[in-house]
Every structure is written in structure tokens, then in C-alpha cells.
Amino acid sequence: METKVAIIKDINKDIKFIEEAGDIIRDGGTVAFPTETVYGLGANALDEEAVKKIFIAKGRPQDNPLIVHVCSKNISELVKEVPEVAQRMIDKFWPGPLTIILEKNDIIPNMTSANLNTVGIRMPSSEIALKLIELSKRPIAAPSANISGRPSPTEVERCIEDLNGKVDYIIGGESSDIGVESTIIDCTVNPPLVLRPGGITLEMLKEIDSNIEIDSALKSKPTENFKPKAPGMKYRHYAPKAHLKIIKGKNEKTIEIINEILENYIEKGNDVAILTTDENLNKFNSGKVISLGSENNLNEIAKNLFETLRKCDDLGVQHILCQGFEEKGVGLAIMNRLNKAAGYDILEV
Ligand code: TXA
Ligand code: MG
């Protein structure tokens, strides 16, 4: 299939591209588009055949439900009810990187919800995403716009790399500033439970209800038969082609251990990338040393994370050694993604 690519430079002048993409969504096609978290691959959430195309393009397992993207805070058509606590989250955090799980209405087809009786809904803050949803006049089901298992794209070039020839349209024009996918919170239980950490942090959610916690399943490596509440969390994810290992502990010790492991890999003739912070850039003896950002700015590290994992693959290294980060604020989401990308190969030092 031929994929049309359009880069939006000025949303007013280039509106025709978003109109075109909106028509494609309404006609049952697929469109990759930017959001503030990561790029999404969208289709009409209410059209079973259209949604099926997303699963095929991504190679996504069909038991993994899709998030439905809306352009308004009024979601009464899509869900049975909006509990008061969910309404407070909508008022405070939408538009933004928070997906709220609620009981779905029959209008949401089983292909979108993967046969669950719940649906995850989010109103993104990206200007292009909101315009696309508005002009398509449909809620848009959209997983991240990558081939299943690969790091999520935060730049349009990565969508093209993964999806060219597999989808109808790719819209670019914004890079994803948050860089990790939305926080998912299950509001069908009381107190609500965080199923995936993201840009809206646990600390921010606790201001809505101090009883909110993260799903205990997120705290350790999943066992063989484990069934997570967010079905997608059981799959190996976000993974670069190289072997990734995380080393976490006090800074000086972490650097010492990374240098030891590095020496061993290099001796064996391997190419190695080291993912670290601005502050540590000069502390490694060899390897391709790449900074994710300043240790004082976890938002910057989150924004650069997936793109840097993909760059490591471009470099063709066999191993990536990445320092760990404190699991506070967005650090919780960073470590969740890193752990999954590393298949939980983490060394605490
Ligand atoms: O930031 C984001 O959320 C991005 C952008 C494009 O909006 N989307 C995204 O979608 O990350 P995806 O498909 O890569 O991840 C969706 C996750 C999966 O782990 C899925 O299992 C979970 O959300 N999920 C979706 N609906 C659910 C439901 N009803 N109950 C529990 N988990 C659900
Ligand atoms: Mg994804």
C-alpha cells in the first residue's frame, strides 16, 4: 500500500493535510499522528474493520486493547458512567497524558477493547492530534505507532521507518515532548489503581485521592503465567535490538561497575553504548557514551529515552549499558520502560 506522508509546519496553513487525514479515518483507513507522549497509529475506534487494520500494521497481539482518543471532556457516549474521582482527573489532567479506564458502552466494538468490558480513554494535548480527532468527527483508537515490541516513536522519521507501506497516512510536525506513553489509571476500582506509570505522576494523582497506588504487579518481574490488568504490560516491549542491561545504585559505584562490565565486553570485541547523564559523560573509559539528559531533569531523560534506544540500534552496538534512575516523579515511568526494554536485566549495586 502507498503511504502518504505530510509534515505540518503551520497548523493553520497546512490544515488541508489534517482534513485529508480526518477523511481517511472516517473512511476506515489508518493514520499515524503525533501526540505529546509518543506518536500514535489511529483508526476510527467505532469501526471494527478499521481497528483491525491497526493490529495488522503493527503485528499487535489481538488480546491487547487500544486506547480511545477524544477531543472533548464529555465522554458520556463512550462509557457507562464517569465516577466522581474520574471526573476530577478529567478536569485536572485533560487534555494531557492520562488514560482513564472505565466501563464501556456497547458503541465501543470488541476489536477496540479486546473483548474487555472496559475501555481506556484519553484526551491528548497535542494540537495536531486534537485537530485530527475533531476533523475526523470520530473517537480515534491509537496504540503507539511502532511495530509491536519496538521502542515507541517520538519522531516522525521513526514512524516512517516502522510503518511506511503499512498504513494510509503519516502526519508529522511535532516531536513528542513527554516521550513515554500516558499514565493508565483504572477507575473501575476504588481506590483507582495505576496500571502504567507515565507523564502524570503518582504524586500528582495522589493530590486527587491520596489512596491511589500503583499496581503491585508493576514492582517486580512478571512470572510466566502472570495476567496483568493492562494486557499489554505482559509483552516484551520498547526493546532495542541490542542487549540492554541496567545498572542502578549510588552514582560513583554505578560508574565503577559500568566501567568493569564495559571492559569485559570490549575485550571480547563487542561494540557497546553507554546511556548516562550530562554530568557523567566524561567518566567512562571507552564505548559510545550517550547522554539522556541532565540528572536534574527527569523530564528531559524521559523525552530522549526511546529515541536514544533506537539510535543505539542505528549505531549497530551489541550491548547497551544504561544507568538507573530514581523512581520518583516521571522516574517511575522511565524505570518501568527501561526494565521492560531490558527484559528486567537490572543489576543493583
Ligand atoms: O500515550 C499513550 O497512551 C499512547 C499515545 C499514542 O496516546 N498510546 C499507547 O498505546 O501507549 P499502547 O497501545 O501502546 O498502550 C496501551 C496500553 C496497553 O498496555 C493496553 O493493554 C492498555 O493500555 N489498555 C488499553 N485498554 C485497556 C483496558 N480497558 N484495561 C486495561 N488496560 C488497557
Ligand atoms: Mg505501545
Side-chain angles (χ1 to χ4, degrees):
M1 126 186 349
E2 199 178 327
T3 302
K4 175 159 181 181
V5 178
I7 308 295
I8 310 294
K9 296 208 175 77
D10 176 322
I11 195 160
N12 295 315
K13 285 193 195 133
D14 296 331
I15 195 74
K16 64 173 183 301
F17 296 123
I18 308 181
E19 278 165 1
E20 242 171 46
D23 290 345
I24 286 178
I25 295 276
R26 231 180 7 264
D27 291 345
T30 47
V31 177
F33 61 96
T35 90
E36 73 280 16
T37 56
V38 300
Y39 272 70
L41 173 59
N44 176 0
L46 308 182
D47 177 346
E48 202 130 26
E49 285 307 311
V51 168
K52 205 174 185 175
K53 293 179 187 167
I54 296 178
F55 285 91
I56 294 168
K58 278 185 61 107
R60 181 180 175 102
Q62 288 207 356
D63 67 347
N64 194 2
L66 305 179
I67 292 172
V68 174
H69 296 66
V70 295
C71 61
S72 145
K73 293 187 183 186
N74 181 355
I75 52 171
S76 55
E77 199 193 20
L78 304 175
V79 297
K80 290 233 154 60
E81 61 159 345
V82 180
E84 196 221 320
V85 66
Q87 189 58 53
R88 273 187 281 145
M89 290 178 202
I90 290 173
D91 292 341
K92 186 150 185 184
F93 299 120
W94 280 12
L98 182 69
T99 295
I100 302 179
I101 309 274
L102 294 166
E103 277 186 38
K104 78 173 187 78
N105 273 340
D106 291 342
I107 191 176
I108 307 273
N110 282 332
M111 185 63 68
T112 301
S113 67
N115 292 311
L116 298 177
N117 53 15
T118 56
V119 61
I121 303 188
R122 120 172 164 89
M123 179 179 176
S125 63
S126 148
E127 220 187 344
I128 295 176
L130 283 173
K131 210 26 137 195
L132 176 66
I133 304 164
E134 187 192 317
L135 292 177
S136 74
K137 302 192 182 72
R138 299 288 182 277
I140 297 184
S144 47
N146 50 282
I147 295 295
S148 264
R150 297 276 297 143
S152 303
T154 53
E155 302 288 345
V156 70
E157 290 76 16
R158 301 302 184 178
C159 296
I160 298 172
E161 194 175 290
D162 277 20
L163 298 176
N164 196 21
K166 297 188 170 131
V167 302
D168 293 305
Y169 211 106
I170 297 177
I171 297 185
E174 290 171 3
S175 32
S176 301
D177 280 339
I178 295 184
V180 288
E181 302 84 349
S182 61
T183 304
I184 300 180
I185 188 150
D186 183 356
C187 284
T188 67
V189 291
N190 193 8
L193 192 62
V194 175
L195 305 185
R196 179 175 76 182
I200 301 297
T201 63
L202 182 62
E203 293 84 346
M204 288 156 87
L205 289 165
K206 276 183 180 293
E207 283 176 29
I208 298 274
D209 178 345
S210 60
N211 295 313
I212 293 176
E213 288 297 342
I214 64 162
D215 188 356
S216 57
L218 290 176
K219 290 174 189 157
S220 54
K221 180 178 177 167
T223 52
E224 197 70 357
N225 298 317
F226 166 70
K227 274 210 172 134
K229 296 184 190 85
M233 298 305 272
K234 72 173 171 284
Y235 295 107
R236 181 155 187 248
H237 250 125
Y238 320 119
K241 291 174 189 139
H243 162 245
L244 169 65
K245 189 180 190 72
I246 307 162
I247 297 92
K248 186 167 184 267
K250 290 237 166 61
N251 198 46
E252 292 315 307
K253 187 76 187 166
T254 301
I255 291 165
E256 183 191 319
I257 300 292
I258 291 180
N259 271 321
E260 271 176 37
I261 301 173
L262 178 64
E263 197 174 327
N264 188 280
Y265 282 150
I266 302 265
E267 260 173 28
K268 290 186 179 138
N270 289 302
D271 280 329
V272 186
I274 295 143
L275 305 190
T276 186
T277 57
D278 292 349
E279 289 78 4
N280 286 340
L281 266 182
N282 300 322
K283 298 187 181 160
F284 300 97
N285 304 330
S286 52
K288 299 186 167 76
V289 188
I290 304 172
S291 174
L292 289 165
S294 167
E295 65 185 19
N296 301 315
N297 188 351
L298 286 177
N299 291 330
E300 185 188 9
I301 288 172
K303 177 178 159 70
N304 292 328
L305 183 64
F306 287 137
E307 182 56 24
T308 308
L309 290 176
R310 283 186 177 244
K311 279 197 183 119
C312 288
D313 282 341
D314 295 345
L315 289 170
V317 299
Q318 286 89 42
H319 294 276
I320 305 170
L321 297 170
C322 180
Q323 73 173 77
F325 297 93
E326 209 187 349
E327 288 171 298
K328 273 204 185 129
V330 77
L332 195 62
I334 294 172
M335 286 309 290
N336 170 266
R337 304 309 191 273
L338 270 176
N339 260 309
K340 288 181 135 295
Y344 295 85
D345 185 353
I346 177 164
L347 184 63
E348 309 247 4
V349 297

